[in-house]
Amino acid sequence: MTQQEAEARINELRDILNQANEAYYQKADPIMSDREFDEKLRELLEIEMEFDLQTPDSPSVRIGGRPTKTFPNVQHPVPMLSLDNTYSPEELDDFDRRVKKLLGHSDFDYMVELKYDGMALRLRYEDGKLRLGATRGDGTTGDDITPNIRTIEDIPLKLADQSSGIIEVRGEAFMNIDDFARMNQQRADEGLPVFANPRNATAGTLKLQDPKIVAQRPIRYFAYDLLFEDEEPDMTQEQKLNKLEDLGLQVCEHRKACRTLEEVHRLIEKWDAERHSHPFETDGVVIKINQERYRNELGQTAKAPRWAIAYKFEAEQAVTTIDKITLQVGRLGTITPVAELDPVELAGTTVKRATLHNEDEIRRKDIRPGDQVLVEKAGEIIPQVVKVVTPEETPRGKEFTMPETCPECGSELIKLPEEVAWRCVNIECPPQVRSRIEHFASRDAMDIDGLGEQIVDQLVSENLITTYTDLYELSIKDLTPLERMGEKSAGNLINAISESKNKPFDRVLFALGIRFVGTTVARDLAGGFGNIEALVNASEEELTAIDSIGPKIAQSVRLYFDDPKNLELIERLKHHGLQLEAEKKETTSSIFEDKTFVLTGALPSLTRKQATEMIEEHGGKTTSSVSKNTDYLLAGDSAGSKLEKAQKLGVEVISEERLLEMLNSQ
Ligand SMILES: [Zn+2]
């Protein structure tokens, strides 16, 4: 094999493996067998080694691919059954009649709970300590994914009651819609494949082999059932949920015991109408007999209990036609194809556009202009195309091809072998310029009130600004000629821009829009380096010494500061008086000088913010993750993985009470 042949084969294998990974994780629709995957992976690894061509992004090293070994299996002592589904009020009436007939009376309540669209997990606690976390699997045997489950903050490692013997908790892992959208946006910005919906993202994440990556994903957990190993105490479902809450688990507040079926119907109607008001996705309601003894009496079929049923809300999909496919250029130059649709009503809004994610996705689904498609809302701000439903005899439009140049600025598009997205790398590309400024002004960044998308558009197209630094040179008379901009609103905007100069250093760092630098990383960089000079001069090695900074982020930060254009921007920001140095807090004492704290869990009386301020007032600092440089872990109730890590590293763990004692003893 020549060097050239090796390179060609490596590219081919990486493509196939990336596609296979995506199909397996994001689509839950594998395109090759595990065995075939492993063989290809091995071949790739061998060639990469022989020709020294391994890169950090290769599927041979990238964590987050398909499991390289399977998880240990675990038998469920009580099977994890699924529930029968109903789709209409009449079917629910049938269920009610069936139950009453079997029991011979109607002397029971129904417990009604929202149904979360996620992944079922069982937890086993022994004397209050988490010993096992497992997936449902086929209902009798699941995967033991305990290391991953220990990273979920909602799942306490220790229960509030340590004397409870062996208990089993059942519940659902899921992602909040906002968290999911943010994570997907970040993945899209990074050129990584996006997840289809929060459920797939949750399932894909929990199957990862590296708990460190799982820990970074925003997984939540609601408990909904409690089982005791020895004997089943006579508790109602309602009492169980309250008990779960007392034990320190998260239980959804949307639950209600109903005395009559009529009440159940009314509740379902109400919850159906409110289904979009929750931070998470819900696809229905679960109705269970509240009293344990009647549950036992009713028993179960081979597949599902007879005492419970799921009522599914109507699916939120609609059929419409793709008018054309356009391309959108993101802040970091990522090109996203978008379907322009015939407007259609979906989930209470009129939908005109749907994301097509990337070229591979379009090809996989064979989406073409003129197609009739099924669109769905999946927790994203804009909906997506599920599949093409054009009738077979209908003539189809032309296959979509990605242009070679940016639709906005004409620069040549590039695509890195390990990424799925095409990218415009011209930093003067107008939509990128606009979205960089919008990002700079956004709420988590400089929070400039009144500087929305439309104003930025106008400012850029009128050539009043080309970078965010230009904002600080605007005057009222620059603004007043703009559309819908009076003297007063111009004055307000100038004030808001000027006030943003007081935003702390970490906000400024985030606002710069460096790839991979989110709010947490920005805070850690600001805390770790203290000022912009130290950061500009930091080597990749010095950067990765900060716990939350990996090589990918370090490289990106270096790349940013190695560009003289960016250094010039920073000089100008400095000239305008922005905060480029971490604030030295007015300290009332220095007893925590040089001490680094990490906070975890819920503190009994202080909020995290109050505790952080208290620590800073006394000269200490706080960071987001535990490392060997951490002096104290301030741990409250339901402390998660951080507590465990601190114990492993021998970091002193203190309670709120101890913190207050330390402060009072000075
Ligand atoms: Zn461009």
Side-chain angles (χ1 to χ4, degrees):
M1 197 180 253
T2 65
Q3 177 87 14
Q4 210 174 5
E5 282 163 354
E7 278 171 18
R9 182 63 184 150
I10 283 175
N11 282 339
E12 201 173 292
L13 285 166
R14 284 179 183 172
D15 267 358
I16 300 169
L17 290 169
N18 281 329
Q19 276 169 30
N21 260 333
E22 193 194 3
Y24 187 86
Y25 280 105
Q26 280 80 50
K27 317 283 166 15
D29 184 14
I31 54 171
M32 63 172 76
S33 70
D34 287 22
R35 194 184 153 147
E36 200 184 336
F37 184 91
D38 288 339
E39 278 167 5
K40 292 209 157 53
L41 190 63
R42 203 166 315 128
E43 186 190 345
L44 174 64
L45 198 59
E46 275 165 14
I47 308 176
E48 284 179 342
M49 289 300 133
E50 191 183 332
F51 290 87
D52 195 19
L53 285 171
Q54 195 169 51
T55 60
D57 309 298
S58 168
S60 67
V61 279
R62 199 179 63 197
I63 318 157
R66 168 185 298 224
T68 48
K69 57 181 187 328
T70 45
F71 291 98
N73 286 348
V74 56
Q75 292 275 336
H76 306 317
V78 178
M80 294 177 76
L81 301 172
S82 48
L83 297 180
D84 283 333
N85 291 324
T86 61
Y87 296 90
S88 70
E90 293 73 33
E91 283 175 0
L92 187 58
D93 292 343
D94 291 343
F95 166 77
D96 178 69
R97 261 194 296 277
R98 218 158 44 230
V99 167
K100 285 176 178 162
K101 194 169 165 221
L102 282 168
L103 290 173
H105 62 80
S106 54
D107 190 20
F108 59 85
D109 308 324
Y110 284 118
M111 188 66 196
V112 185
E113 298 160 49
L114 263 189
K115 189 173 177 302
Y116 332 108
D117 203 6
M119 187 187 187
L121 292 182
R122 67 169 261 246
L123 314 172
R124 182 184 169 89
Y125 287 90
E126 293 172 14
D127 294 323
K129 292 188 186 68
L130 179 66
R131 292 289 181 220
L132 174 79
T135 63
R136 171 189 278 150
D138 62 6
T140 49
T141 311
D143 284 336
D144 174 352
I145 55 165
T146 313
N148 286 347
I149 284 179
R150 298 176 91 93
T151 68
I152 301 174
E153 290 255 2
D154 281 348
I155 297 181
L157 297 175
K158 266 197 218 153
L159 295 178
D161 178 2
Q162 307 284 305
S163 62
S164 37
I166 294 177
I167 65 165
E168 281 259 334
V169 175
R170 303 226 164 143
E172 194 93 350
F174 62 96
M175 267 183 208
N176 278 339
I177 297 165
D178 282 358
D179 290 340
F180 166 76
R182 210 171 298 131
M183 184 182 90
N184 249 4
Q185 185 56 55
Q186 197 181 345
R187 288 177 71 84
D189 285 347
E190 292 171 18
L192 294 170
V194 293
F195 290 104
N197 55 47
R199 187 187 56 240
N200 284 10
T202 305
T205 297
L206 289 172
K207 282 185 204 138
L208 295 175
Q209 288 285 336
D210 186 350
K212 271 188 287 196
I213 305 210
V214 180
Q216 290 163 12
R217 303 262 177 95
I219 306 235
R220 309 294 311 263
Y221 185 79
F222 275 150
Y224 52 63
D225 203 3
L226 177 62
L227 287 77
F228 298 84
E229 189 171 76
D230 305 324
E231 65 186 289
E232 211 57 13
D234 193 17
M235 277 171 114
T236 63
Q237 173 68 9
E238 191 176 20
Q239 287 164 339
K240 283 182 177 182
L241 293 173
N242 294 338
K243 172 84 181 167
L244 284 164
E245 215 164 30
D246 291 344
L247 288 171
L249 285 135
Q250 302 296 319
V251 179
C252 182
E253 58 179 313
H254 299 278
R255 56 187 205 256
K256 190 171 189 294
C258 293
R259 192 64 198 95
T260 65
L261 185 68
E262 204 27 58
E263 253 184 87
V264 175
H265 278 305
R266 278 203 303 270
L267 194 58
I268 290 176
E269 242 173 72
K270 180 168 179 282
W271 283 358
D272 195 356
E274 291 170 358
R275 63 192 280 198
H276 298 295
S277 62
H278 310 298
F280 48 84
E281 293 210 309
T282 164
D283 59 349
V285 168
V286 175
I287 300 124
K288 295 174 181 165
I289 306 272
N290 202 7
Q291 284 79 3
E292 185 76 31
R293 56 181 175 281
Y294 300 137
R295 292 196 196 186
N296 294 338
E297 220 172 287
L298 288 164
Q300 61 201 45
T301 66
K303 201 174 117 275
R306 290 199 187 87
W307 45 266
I309 199 147
Y311 180 96
K312 300 270 257 186
F313 296 143
E314 221 171 292
E316 301 206 85
Q317 293 184 330
V319 172
T320 184
T321 307
I322 296 186
D323 200 21
K324 58 182 175 190
I325 295 175
T326 56
L327 297 168
Q328 198 173 296
V329 185
R331 174 165 65 86
L332 296 158
T334 310
I335 311 286
T336 308
V338 173
E340 308 284 343
L341 305 168
D342 268 1
V344 62
E345 283 298 309
L346 179 63
T349 54
T350 305
V351 168
K352 294 181 193 138
R353 319 176 80 205
T355 176
L356 297 172
H357 300 301
N358 55 59
E359 190 188 14
D360 293 358
E361 180 87 356
I362 297 178
R363 218 169 291 295
R364 207 179 62 83
K365 292 179 177 164
D366 188 22
I367 295 166
R368 306 181 190 186
D371 275 339
Q372 283 181 42
V373 288
L374 189 65
V375 289
E376 175 183 78
K377 278 215 167 167
E380 290 185 86
I381 297 130
I382 50 173
Q384 51 187 322
V385 172
V386 182
K387 60 178 176 187
V388 174
V389 292
T390 309
E392 259 184 52
E393 60 278 12
T394 314
R396 308 265 316 266
K398 259 209 236 129
E399 248 181 72
F400 172 80
T401 45
M402 199 68 172
E404 285 170 9
T405 56
C406 173
E408 300 279 350
C409 74
S411 313
E412 200 179 331
L413 297 180
I414 62 147
K415 180 173 157 181
L416 299 175
E418 72 276 13
E419 297 191 345
V420 292
W422 287 89
R423 207 177 275 284
C424 166
V425 291
N426 169 19
I427 65 159
E428 279 157 27
C429 177
Q432 294 185 55
V433 169
R434 286 196 296 268
S435 41
R436 271 198 302 272
I437 297 168
E438 280 162 24
H439 170 79
F440 185 84
S442 66
R443 192 177 318 161
D444 289 338
M446 303 308 278
D447 194 16
I448 302 175
D449 206 22
L451 194 65
E453 207 172 306
Q454 281 174 355
I455 305 277
V456 172
D457 256 14
Q458 289 189 59
L459 290 171
V460 173
S461 53
E462 297 291 323
N463 273 327
L464 286 164
I465 55 174
T466 53
T467 67
Y468 36 70
T469 52
D470 297 336
L471 290 170
Y472 296 99
E473 280 147 39
L474 288 172
S475 66
I476 294 185
K477 72 173 189 311
D478 289 332
L479 297 180
T480 41
L482 299 180
E483 242 175 87
R484 280 192 298 273
M485 179 68 80
E487 191 96 12
K488 181 148 181 282
S489 35
N492 288 342
L493 183 53
I494 296 292
N495 276 340
I497 292 172
S498 175
E499 269 166 33
S500 74
K501 292 178 186 172
N502 300 321
K503 288 276 179 288
F505 181 38
D506 64 291
R507 295 279 211 111
V508 181
L509 267 184
F510 172 65
L512 294 179
I514 304 169
R515 200 174 175 203
F516 307 138
V517 177
T519 48
T520 312
V521 170
R523 214 168 303 138
D524 288 351
L525 285 174
F529 290 92
N531 62 57
I532 195 81
E533 282 76 23
L535 186 57
V536 166
N537 293 317
S539 65
E540 279 184 37
E541 210 174 16
E542 286 164 324
L543 288 161
T544 48
I546 288 184
D547 212 50
S548 62
I549 316 287
K552 197 170 70 173
I553 302 176
Q555 199 182 22
S556 168
V557 171
R558 263 308 351 132
L559 214 61
Y560 182 89
F561 291 121
D562 282 341
D563 187 335
K565 281 201 196 109
N566 291 331
L567 294 181
E568 198 190 305
L569 287 182
I570 286 164
E571 275 311 309
R572 285 177 59 198
L573 292 178
K574 195 186 289 176
H575 168 80
H576 289 299
L578 274 77
Q579 306 299 314
L580 294 170
E581 199 169 324
E583 213 175 310
K584 289 202 185 57
K585 290 266 159 67
E586 285 282 312
T587 52
T588 45
S589 88
S590 55
I591 64 161
F592 292 147
E593 204 176 332
D594 297 329
K595 299 290 184 215
T596 304
F597 288 73
V598 174
L599 278 62
T600 185
L603 300 173
S605 66
L606 297 172
T607 64
R608 283 195 184 206
K609 194 159 169 263
Q610 288 167 333
T612 304
E613 280 168 5
M614 222 174 247
I615 289 164
E616 286 172 354
E617 261 171 42
H618 294 274
K621 63 177 183 175
T622 59
T623 61
S624 62
S625 58
V626 176
S627 74
K628 56 182 193 316
N629 300 323
T630 309
D631 294 289
Y632 298 106
L633 179 76
L634 176 57
D637 271 356
S638 332
S641 55
K642 288 177 186 169
L643 179 59
E644 201 168 304
K645 188 163 180 199
Q647 284 161 342
K648 210 174 287 168
L649 293 172
V651 170
E652 188 174 338
V653 179
I654 59 167
S655 62
E656 177 188 298
E657 198 185 349
R658 178 76 193 118
L659 177 79
L660 298 174
E661 264 172 35
M662 287 158 93
L663 289 172
N664 288 331
S665 66
Q666 54 174 320

